[in-house]
Amino acid sequence: MSPALIATSPTQKSMMMNIASGHAENSQYHKGVKHLCETGIRNVPLRYILPVSERPNQIVQGKLHMNDGNFQLPIIDFSELYGPKRSQVISSLSSACENYGFFQVVNHGIPNEVLNNMMDVAKRFFELPLAEREKYMSADVSKSVRYGTSFNELKDSVFCWRDFLKLVCHPPADVLSHWPSSPVDLRELAVTYAKETKFLFLMIMDAIRESLGLTTTTKNMTADDQDDDQILNELKDGNQLMILNFYPPCPEPDLTFGIRSHSDYGFFTLLLQDDVPGLQIKHQGKWLTVEPIPGAFVVNVGDQLEIFSNGRYKSVLHRALVNSYKSRISVVSLHSLPSQYAVRPAKMLINETNPRRYKDTDFATFLDHLKSCDYEEKGFLESRKLT
């Protein structure tokens, strides 16, 4: 007898309907948050609701613990780096990396037109019809071009209130043809932006090496110095990943996050954001909302820099809030060593009083971790520490 002709009980029929409904609901989730909002939802779906203890405004022991308000990160004026104030700028950079893991860079040399064009084309991409955006949808975290809505849609138990477009930027000749062709100027504007931010990253990285005391004259270089000095050459051909983030208004922003707390994998990250506050960093046990500065980059230490500095500079947990009244857009540029290279603590920073604290780490190991695990804050970096 055909299975379709077998009678089912009311309970079985109900279970089958629930399963079908669940599949349909999950299918909706995988189309992104913007699509959910376009359907007219008035409540946050269960898949996006965090446990009470993890929500933005936590209730602990019967008391409501609010976020601690806005504050300004240390500000580095990059125009002073190559003048008589260089030593002061280097000192400020060191202090920011040690005490905050975050800072804002102003007067960085990237024209406002480049920044404005990038934010504008990001906005226009997310305004495209779903049929155009979903061409790039994938749950595969290793894809070079990916439109998605969470860190790992196959593993995450709670999704983020965010849609994103991920673009691998290096090498341009290999990846550019895979980038979205709509809006028609996205490729051109994003390539210009990627080149500018890569150059800025290398300049900041050079200053960070100096702040760690790793700059010496060629004449006096030891073998260890030469190994540590090689990092800049390796980073010139390193990975660059650009992520365009869109956070739609959320009907119940106290139940979810745009991005849950995490640290970044690379050496450091350059963040360009609009004027809507949302970025929070964890500082001295408190969550603080970063006040946006027009035209500035928010820069944060990544896991690779923590390893390279042997723990002197630490990657810091950060997250993104959402609100009920206005969408928010940011463009993230993450920079790391080439995939085939391993990052290890600089030899000059290891001695008897400061022993080696981390294992050698490459991108493949990180990617395997990301594919295999549900969300966890700094779980990967913790796995790389030597006991």
Side-chain angles (χ1 to χ4, degrees):
M1 182 181 291
S2 168
L5 299 178
I6 298 175
T8 56
S9 69
T11 301
Q12 289 173 317
K13 287 181 179 179
S14 176
M15 288 174 63
M16 291 169 67
M17 289 176 65
N18 286 339
I19 291 171
S21 174
H23 286 319
E25 196 174 50
N26 281 333
S27 175
Q28 289 290 93
Y29 294 154
H30 289 284
K31 290 182 179 181
V33 183
K34 188 171 188 291
H35 174 70
L36 282 177
C37 293
E38 289 167 346
T39 65
I41 61 168
R42 297 189 178 184
N43 299 100
V44 173
L46 184 62
R47 190 64 186 270
Y48 295 86
I49 296 177
L50 291 161
V52 173
S53 61
E54 297 178 28
R55 293 176 190 173
N57 295 321
Q58 301 174 25
I59 300 176
V60 181
Q61 295 179 344
K63 295 181 179 180
L64 182 63
H65 286 241
M66 301 292 288
N67 300 307
D68 288 281
N70 293 12
F71 87 118
Q72 273 204 354
L73 290 171
I75 297 173
I76 305 296
D77 187 339
F78 212 67
S79 66
E80 296 181 341
L81 190 61
Y82 297 97
K85 295 184 178 180
R86 181 178 179 86
S87 61
Q88 291 139 283
V89 176
I90 294 294
S91 177
S92 297
L93 190 61
S94 177
S95 175
C97 288
E98 284 195 41
N99 298 316
Y100 291 87
F102 270 81
F103 53 92
Q104 297 211 58
V105 171
V106 298
N107 298 325
H108 42 68
I110 299 181
N112 284 333
E113 181 183 12
V114 173
L115 307 183
N116 294 337
N117 285 344
M118 190 64 237
M119 292 295 282
D120 176 65
V121 79
K123 180 175 182 290
R124 286 187 282 122
F125 173 82
F126 291 111
E127 288 173 347
L128 292 172
L130 175 64
E132 188 65 31
R133 286 180 280 127
E134 70 179 352
K135 291 178 183 178
Y136 309 96
M137 281 186 169
S138 174
D140 182 357
V141 299
S142 62
K143 285 187 73 72
S144 60
V145 177
R146 178 186 171 216
Y147 182 59
T149 190
S150 202
F151 281 115
N152 186 344
E153 292 169 34
L154 300 178
K155 292 285 184 179
D156 292 350
S157 56
V158 180
F159 279 9
C160 302
W161 196 263
R162 165 190 74 140
D163 286 354
F164 66 86
L165 175 66
K166 180 187 90 170
L167 301 172
V168 170
C169 301
H170 188 81
D174 293 348
V175 299
L176 190 57
S177 62
H178 300 289
W179 289 9
S181 55
S182 185
V184 293
D185 53 351
L186 184 145
R187 292 180 183 178
E188 177 188 357
L189 297 178
V191 163
T192 299
Y193 181 84
K195 288 178 179 177
E196 292 278 5
T197 50
K198 180 63 174 282
F199 184 67
L200 177 59
F201 160 73
L202 291 172
M203 289 196 297
I204 296 175
M205 189 61 210
D206 186 42
I208 282 179
R209 284 182 62 258
E210 186 172 336
S211 75
L212 288 167
L214 299 178
T215 301
T216 58
T217 62
T218 305
K219 181 179 178 181
N220 297 324
M221 269 193 178
T222 65
D224 286 353
D225 295 334
Q226 291 172 0
D227 284 348
D228 296 339
D229 191 60
Q230 189 63 25
I231 196 75
L232 271 185
N233 290 327
E234 294 170 354
L235 286 169
K236 286 176 183 176
D237 198 40
N239 291 332
Q240 180 178 6
L241 179 64
M242 189 152 59
I243 301 175
L244 284 55
N245 292 314
F246 179 76
Y247 306 92
C250 177
E252 297 172 292
D254 286 347
L255 300 181
T256 189
F257 280 112
I259 303 179
R260 297 168 75 180
S261 61
H262 67 285
S263 62
D264 293 340
Y265 168 71
F267 261 79
F268 58 82
T269 301
L270 301 173
L271 170 73
L272 180 68
Q273 58 181 335
D274 62 17
D275 60 354
V276 181
L279 172 66
Q280 287 195 319
I281 73 166
K282 195 168 190 178
H283 179 63
Q284 297 180 348
K286 297 179 180 180
W287 284 103
L288 303 173
T289 303
V290 174
E291 189 70 40
I293 298 177
F297 281 100
V298 177
V299 182
N300 65 276
V301 173
D303 294 347
Q304 284 193 346
L305 182 52
E306 177 169 335
I307 292 170
F308 180 71
S309 70
N310 202 32
R312 177 172 164 186
Y313 297 163
K314 288 186 168 55
S315 61
V316 172
L317 291 175
H318 52 288
R319 65 190 189 185
L321 299 176
V322 290
N323 64 71
S324 60
Y325 56 88
K326 191 174 183 181
S327 62
R328 176 173 176 260
I329 290 179
S330 67
V331 179
V332 177
S333 185
L334 300 105
H335 302 265
S336 58
L337 285 171
S339 300
Q340 69 272 24
Y341 284 74
V343 62
R344 57 184 61 86
K347 291 180 180 179
M348 287 181 65
L349 301 179
I350 300 172
N351 52 50
E352 289 184 4
T353 58
N354 188 35
R356 180 177 176 138
R357 302 178 188 276
Y358 302 87
K359 307 172 188 176
D360 286 12
T361 302
D362 59 19
F363 184 71
T365 307
F366 168 71
L367 204 57
D368 288 344
H369 181 89
L370 190 63
K371 289 178 179 178
S372 64
C373 296
D374 188 4
Y375 159 81
E376 50 184 336
E377 293 181 326
K378 291 183 69 170
F380 176 70
L381 189 64
E382 290 298 318
S383 75
R384 309 314 297 162
K385 288 183 177 179
L386 295 169
T387 54

